Each structure stands twice: as C-alpha cells, then as structure tokens.
Amino acid sequence: MVSITDKTLKDLEFYTVLEAVASGCVTEPGHDKALQIAPFKNREQLMQALQQTSEYVASFDNNNALPNHGFEPISNEVKFLAIEDSYLDASAFRKIAVVADTVNTLIKFLEKFNDYYPTLNARAQQVEYNKEILKLIDKVVDKYGEVKDDASLQLQEIRREMNLVKVRINQSFTAALSHYNSLGYLDDIKESVVENRRVLAVSAMYRKKVKGSILGSSKTGSIAYIEPETTLRLSRELNNFEYEEKEEIKRILLQLSSHIRPFVPQLYDYQEFLTDIDVVSGKAKYARRVNGLLPNITEERRIYFREAYHPILYVNNRVKNQVTYPQTIELRHDNRIIVISGPNAGGKSITLKTIGLLQLMLQCGLLIPVHERSETCLFDRIMTDIGDNQSIENHLSTYSYRLKNMNYFLKKCNDKTLFLIDEFGTGSDPELGGALAEVFLEEFYHREAFGIITTHYTNLKILANELPFATNANMLFDEKSLEPMYKLILGQAGSSFTFEVAQKNGIPYGLINRAKKKIEGSKVRFDKTIATLQKERSKLEKTSQTLKEEEIRAREEGKKMENINTRIQQKLESYQELYDANQRLIYMGQKLDDMSEKYFNNKNKKELIGEFLKTVEIENSKRKKLTVKEKKVAEVIQKKVVAEVEAKVEEIRKEKKEKKIKEKNVEKPKAILKIGDRVRMIDGKAVGTLDAIEKKKATVNYGLFTSKVDLESLELVEAMKR
C-alpha cells in the first residue's frame, strides 16, 4: 500500500507542479480535481492514468485531435433535479443538454479511434451513450435556453394571441401618439419607456387633457409620462396572457424535469467523465511544457533516470532563457544507496529533489522529463528530510526535529522504500552527529532500502566506500575556477573544497594555514586527496568531451570526402564511357568514308554491300545484349553525361562570345576615309569602293550600283595603295 506523507509532498514542491497542471484545465471541476492529485494505491489504475495522459499528449501531433470536452458544471442543477416535484428552468436544461451532447460526441469519437486512444476509450466505455436526454430537452428548450413555442399546443396558442395583442398595442399607441402630437400636447421627446411600457411624454400643462394612466414624471416635473387609455386596456390583456404563458412554461418544465429525473445518476457520471478528461488534458499540457514522457515501469527494483530534468527548475529557467542541466542517475539492488558529497551550490540538493519529485510525479500519474530509455520501479513509500525543519509550534530545534524524523524513517523503512535526506547528520556536534548518522545509514542499508543522501561528513563518505551495495558520488567542479559544472559523477566522493573556496573568496592565506593546523593532518590530507582526484576527473571529463567533439568532426569530414570521391569517380567513368562511344563512332565514320571512296572508284555495289554487312556483323558481335532495365539505366546515364557536356560546351561558347563582344566594344581609333579606299557599312558584309565625299555624305561604288550613305556609318576594309 502506497503511503506518502504531506511533508514529503511539501519537501519536493509537489504542490507547485499540481498548480501548473491545474492551470491547464479548462473547467472549474477539472481545476479543483487536478489540485487533489495524489499517489495511486493501485498499480493497474496508475498504469491506466499514465497511458491516458500519454495518449492525450500524442493527440497534439496527429490528425485526430480530441474534440472539445469543456462544460459548465451542472452539480447544483442535478442535485436540485433529484428532489421530487422540483423543476429546473430552461437555461439549466440547456446546460445539461450541452454536457450530454459533449459526452456523446467524445464516446463516439474515442470508439472510432480506439487504435489511437485505447485507454481513453476504455474510460469512455464506462459511461452510457444516451440520446434520450438530448432528445427530450431539444424538444422543449432551444439552443438559447428558451422554451420553444411548439413545446405544447397550449403554449403555441398563448404566444400567438400575445403577439396579436402586442401588434394591437403598438397600433393603438401609434394612433394616440399621432393624435396628441397634432394637438401639441407632447414634449419634444414625444415618448419614453417606464416599467418596460411605452408611454407618451406629455407637457405637464396638458396632462389632464390626455386620457390614460400617469406612470411617472421627469425630475423637473415638466413632463408627465402617460400610458394612453386604449393601450392600457390592451396591456392588461397582455399581462393576463403573460401569466398564462408563465403557468404553461412551469407545467412544461415540471413535466420535462420528471422525464429527466431518472437520468440523475447518469448525469453525475457524465460530469465525472468530463472532469476526468479535463484533468488528463491538464496533465498532457504540462507534460508537453516540460517534455514529459512515460518511461518503462519495471517489476525489477531499479531506478534509471537518464537525462532527467527538475520540471519546476526547467520551466523557470526557460522563462529566464537560462540553461538547465540534466542528470543521469541509477539505483539498483546491488547499488541501492548513493552518498553525494562536495561543496555547497554545486547542485547536490537539486539532484536529490529531481529524483524524488520525478518518482513522486510518476506514481501520481504524471509524465516526467527524462530520456525515453529511462526506467523505474514503484515504491510503497517515499520519505524525505530536506531543508531546515525547525519546528516553532513544537518548540523543537532543527536537530531535534531531524531526529524525530529519523525515528519515523526507522519505523517505516523497508525494501520498498525510497528515502531522500539532504545534509545528513547536520545540526549537532560534527563528531557525535556524524557517528549517529553513520549508524542510521547502516540501518537503512541492512533493510535494503533505496536512497540518496547528501553530506559533508567524511565518515559517511568512507562508509559508502566500504559498503558493497552503496556508492559515493560528487558534483563535478571546474578545477581552476571552482565553479560548479552541475554534472553528477558516480564512484567517487566529493571534496568540500573548504580551504580552496575560502582562498578564492579572499580569506588571507595565513588564516587558512592556521585553520589547517587546528584539525587533524590526516583529515586535511584525505580531503586534499579527494579534491585532487576531483580536479583530475574534471580535467579528464573536459579532455574526453574535446576528443569526442573532434572525433565527430573528423568523422563528418571523412564522410564528406568519401562522398566527393564517389561522385568524382562516377563522373570519370561516365566521361570515359562517352569518350569510348564517340571514338567508336569516329572509327565507324572513317570506315564508312573508305567504303564510299572505294565505291566511287569501282562502282561495285555487291562489294559495297558485302563490306557494309561484314562491318555491321563485326560491330554487333561486340555488343552486349542488355535487359530493358539496363538499357534504361544506360540511357539515363548517357543523357546525364551528354547534358553535362553540352552545358559545359555552352558555357565555353558563352564565355568566348562575351569575350568577342568585349573586344569588339573596345573603342579603336577610327580610320580617316579617303577616295579610293575599300569600305563597308558597319556590321555589314558588302564591300565597295569610295568614289566621292561631299560634306558628311559618301558615294560608294559596289560594281553593279552606287549608293550614297552617311560617312560615319562606314568602316575601312582596305586603304587604297598610294
């Protein structure tokens, strides 16, 4: 049986997580129920809850998103409906109809997409699909929460009569308004509304001349508000119809209430179902926010959280654009207790809280931010002793309170317990407190409990090293700056870096030396050895990371070079094939040219045909018979190579053409033309002799004809030899 105290929930800040989950719910009952989430006592129910949340998370990324599950609470309405001879108003029935319709839609949807949402569908199957409730309400109440005209024949008749009276009231009022306005009895505003009734705005001096009932006057008393006599009579008639309508609606709603009353238990189920779906949606939204997933839950006693994030820290850091460092930690039967040591502000407490909170969340049906290959078992108890627990109410010191807590641990601790203790043994004399803490740790160890503790006590570090199924761990620190690297390293105790940190913070070296002399030399050497080992490990970690990055880069470069070589080889082979094919065609062309020349000389057709056929046979014997697939591949390769060659040739032609144009565009000194020179038109082809020049006109003789052109349009081809 699972037992987790309220103290543990507070120590691990579980209520902060619940508030975040509740904020994702869309209904008030869902919000309230999310705040009541607690560890499941039944494994099967827990697995169903986890699967439901996991399925809802998957719905965010597929094309079959779950339909709306929002609703207005109907608890009060259903409670009142359960009372015999009571009746609900029309708007309450509309709320019930919306809930019934929402549930029916969800049931049908989940049934249709059972492959995607098997556990959600299993939950929906616990609720009865019912169209009768909706049918009964829709017959009486419209979508705006009003009783329909045709809810009964009598109501239909009453409302028809009411509408006729309203028309007559408007007609009589309009007639009275027109009549008294023509007599000049009305004020400028002419009419107003008093007690939801139209009235004439009559000037006070004429109020006795207007027949009707005075319903009020203006603040100044200059206007009297009068309902005309004819309208007043019709208004009374309308009031009678309104009373009849009210009584008929009451009768209809009483009848509807008696029809819906047998479904009261089902309506409670409906609200409970929609509330559960809303809580699942809140869990799913939170899981999406923290990248939560469902790790493997095993029967084997093991915790293996890989790349685990503290969800509250992760969300807060993301808001501040800060990095959150994940931790990987493993507890199993042959390594069931971890003692984390090292200086403060290195992340020891956060690591401890991360493991505790994630295990607690999982046992409450919440998905957790870990790597998908993580796995864990379930514990009957999670016990914590975190932070300064000085009790003012009970007049207990921190140490007294912690001893009281340890007593509880000793009573309840067994092989199905996970215990988490921060700063184990503090609050008393270091020697005596450390000895007592050592005894407690041995007791937890012999009871085969799983646990993580943080401490500065050397004797606890030594004990963890001596116990076969316990291990030391430390948070990695930069060996130069002594800044935390927020990475947990298993297998080695951590130094508190007491003197190193003091020196870094400006404490005089002389004082530090005096402090060292006041304690046992063996302790200083032990702590110094641990510090040295941590520094070495930190260096190795950095070197390992650098080598890993370089190896990845080298591998990527190697792949790139390999791809380039492959492409070059393919191109070379293709060009070789094209060259061979072209050489063969040239050889065939030469052969054909020789035959043509021989036939030209001897005109021997028979010999020509014989040689031609012989050549064809020789060439065909060299050909390999290709399959249709091979032919297609060959054609594709040939087309590709030809296209590449043509593109290259076209590029060279383009370059030559551009070069030629550039050369042509270079301005050359224009030759002075003289009579007798050979000339032509610029960009023309015909060449003629220059016969005469008159001003800017020139006569050119082309032999068969002469032509007069602009001197500027001619260019020199050859100067006349003088």
Side-chain angles (χ1 to χ4, degrees), residues 257-297:
S257 297
S258 65
H259 288 153
I260 299 295
R261 192 166 287 113
F263 299 110
V264 163
Q266 197 169 338
L267 291 173
Y268 277 123
D269 289 346
Y270 278 4
Q271 177 157 301
E272 187 68 19
F273 169 65
L274 291 179
T275 303
D276 286 349
I277 294 294
D278 194 29
V279 172
V280 172
S281 81
K283 289 179 182 177
K285 288 169 190 170
Y286 183 71
R288 195 170 175 83
R289 211 179 309 156
V290 299
N291 297 326
L293 53 81
L294 174 57
N296 181 38
I297 296 179

Side-chain angles (χ1 to χ4, degrees), residues 267-328:
L267 291 173
Y268 277 123
D269 289 346
Y270 278 4
Q271 177 157 301
E272 187 68 19
F273 169 65
L274 291 179
T275 303
D276 286 349
I277 294 294
D278 194 29
V279 172
V280 172
S281 81
K283 289 179 182 177
K285 288 169 190 170
Y286 183 71
R288 195 170 175 83
R289 211 179 309 156
V290 299
N291 297 326
L293 53 81
L294 174 57
N296 181 38
I297 296 179
T298 175
E299 294 284 351
E300 181 192 350
R301 291 183 64 231
R302 183 189 186 212
I303 292 179
Y304 174 55
F305 286 149
R306 178 176 164 188
E307 293 172 23
Y309 288 89
H310 191 287
I312 300 169
L313 187 66
Y314 178 77
V315 171
N316 290 343
N317 282 350
R318 193 167 59 184
V319 171
K320 299 173 189 173
N321 287 324
Q322 292 178 355
V323 179
T324 308
Y325 297 93
Q327 299 297 341
T328 297

Side-chain angles (χ1 to χ4, degrees), residues 474-681:
N474 69 83
M475 303 303 295
L476 206 61
F477 264 68
D478 187 284
E479 78 279 1
K480 291 180 182 175
S481 65
L482 290 178
E483 292 295 326
M485 294 168 72
Y486 301 102
K487 187 167 185 180
L488 183 73
I489 298 297
L490 294 173
Q492 182 183 308
S495 165
S496 296
F497 288 102
T498 308
F499 298 124
E500 288 88 344
V501 172
Q503 192 174 338
K504 182 176 180 261
N505 284 283
I507 303 300
Y509 191 70
L511 291 179
I512 293 169
N513 263 346
R514 277 167 61 190
K516 282 181 181 179
K517 286 173 186 176
K518 285 184 181 289
I519 59 172
E520 294 173 28
S522 58
K523 282 192 178 179
V524 176
R525 287 198 300 277
F526 180 74
D527 199 70
K528 192 175 181 182
T529 303
I530 292 176
T532 306
L533 284 170
Q534 269 190 264
K535 288 177 182 178
E536 289 301 318
R537 185 183 281 276
S538 177
K539 281 181 185 175
L540 285 170
E541 191 76 23
K542 282 187 175 178
T543 306
S544 173
Q545 189 65 32
T546 307
L547 287 171
K548 203 174 281 183
E549 287 171 4
E550 286 177 1
E551 186 188 346
I552 291 166
R553 280 199 296 272
R555 201 178 293 128
E556 286 174 356
E557 288 297 323
K559 278 183 182 176
K560 280 182 188 175
M561 292 303 296
E562 196 176 319
N563 289 336
I564 291 166
N565 284 337
T566 305
R567 285 202 299 272
I568 291 169
Q569 190 64 34
Q570 285 173 350
K571 281 193 176 182
L572 283 172
E573 287 172 5
S574 301
Y575 286 138
Q576 186 62 47
E577 285 175 13
L578 184 65
Y579 175 77
D580 291 345
N582 286 340
Q583 285 296 107
R584 190 171 61 81
L585 290 174
I586 291 166
Y587 167 73
M588 288 296 294
Q590 286 173 346
K591 193 93 173 166
L592 193 62
D593 188 56
D594 291 344
M595 285 184 218
S596 298
E597 191 178 350
K598 200 170 184 182
Y599 176 72
F600 180 77
N601 292 327
N602 61 19
K603 303 294 181 183
N604 189 338
K605 282 185 182 179
K606 193 174 180 181
E607 189 183 343
L608 174 66
I609 292 166
E611 281 189 29
F612 181 74
L613 289 173
K614 186 181 176 183
T615 305
V616 170
E617 287 295 330
I618 291 165
E619 287 302 315
N620 282 345
S621 68
K622 295 176 186 175
R623 293 180 197 273
K624 181 186 172 186
K625 198 162 186 179
L626 300 174
T627 63
V628 176
K629 191 176 179 181
E630 286 173 334
K631 279 182 182 176
K632 283 183 179 177
V633 172
E635 284 172 9
V636 168
I637 291 170
Q638 191 174 5
K639 280 180 183 175
K640 193 175 177 183
V641 173
V642 168
E644 285 181 5
V645 171
E646 285 178 350
K648 196 71 182 172
V649 168
E650 188 61 35
E651 198 179 319
I652 292 165
R653 281 179 182 162
K654 196 175 178 182
E655 284 177 7
K656 283 184 177 179
K657 194 173 181 182
E658 286 173 356
K659 192 177 178 183
K660 198 173 180 182
I661 290 167
K662 280 180 184 175
E663 287 173 358
K664 202 170 186 181
N665 288 340
V666 175
E667 286 189 13
K668 295 177 183 175
K670 191 153 184 174
I672 298 168
L673 301 177
K674 295 179 182 177
I675 294 169
D677 288 345
R678 301 279 286 166
V679 295
R680 69 178 169 204
M681 297 285 287

Side-chain angles (χ1 to χ4, degrees), residues 187-237:
D187 189 69
D188 292 341
I189 63 171
K190 292 184 176 55
E191 66 171 290
S192 186
V193 176
V194 176
E195 296 175 6
N196 208 27
R197 289 152 75 175
R198 287 177 76 187
V199 291
L200 297 171
V202 181
S203 296
M205 65 180 74
Y206 300 117
R207 68 179 182 278
K208 290 184 179 179
K209 293 186 177 183
V210 176
K211 293 179 181 180
S213 174
I214 298 175
L215 299 182
S217 61
S218 63
K219 288 180 181 179
T220 58
S222 61
I223 301 171
Y225 297 120
I226 301 173
E227 186 176 14
E229 190 175 36
T230 52
T231 305
L232 184 62
R233 181 174 53 79
L234 290 168
S235 292
R236 285 175 187 150
E237 192 178 338

